[in-house]
Amino acid sequence: MELLWTLFVFAAHGGLFAVAAGSAWVGYRQRARRPGFNRWYLGAAVAAALGIAAVYVGQQLSLAMRGAITG
């Protein structure tokens, strides 16, 4: 449970977006040395998608809790 809470806090504070930005920057730097398919760009896209999903889930949870409290 503690690990799940840590991951939720990391995602809620934009951690996955920071990982996506870092991966895209590393991919950009690697592209100069090796053209072609770049795994770093794929990692950046996956991290960004997970970040968007985490924000959506957080919003849905907050709406569900607000609805349960008010009635």
Side-chain angles (χ1 to χ4, degrees):
M1 189 67 171
E2 212 170 283
L3 176 63
L4 182 63
W5 183 250
T6 304
L7 289 174
F8 179 72
V9 170
F10 180 73
H13 291 288
L16 290 170
F17 295 117
V19 169
S23 296
W25 182 78
V26 170
Y28 175 75
R29 301 298 292 169
Q30 289 287 328
R31 193 165 186 90
R33 284 192 268 164
R34 266 189 302 175
F37 178 73
N38 198 331
R39 292 180 301 217
W40 289 99
Y41 287 141
L42 180 62
V46 168
L50 289 174
I52 291 169
V55 168
Y56 176 76
V57 168
Q59 287 178 347
Q60 293 301 314
L61 283 173
S62 70
L63 289 173
M65 289 190 305
R66 190 177 313 149
I69 291 172
T70 59

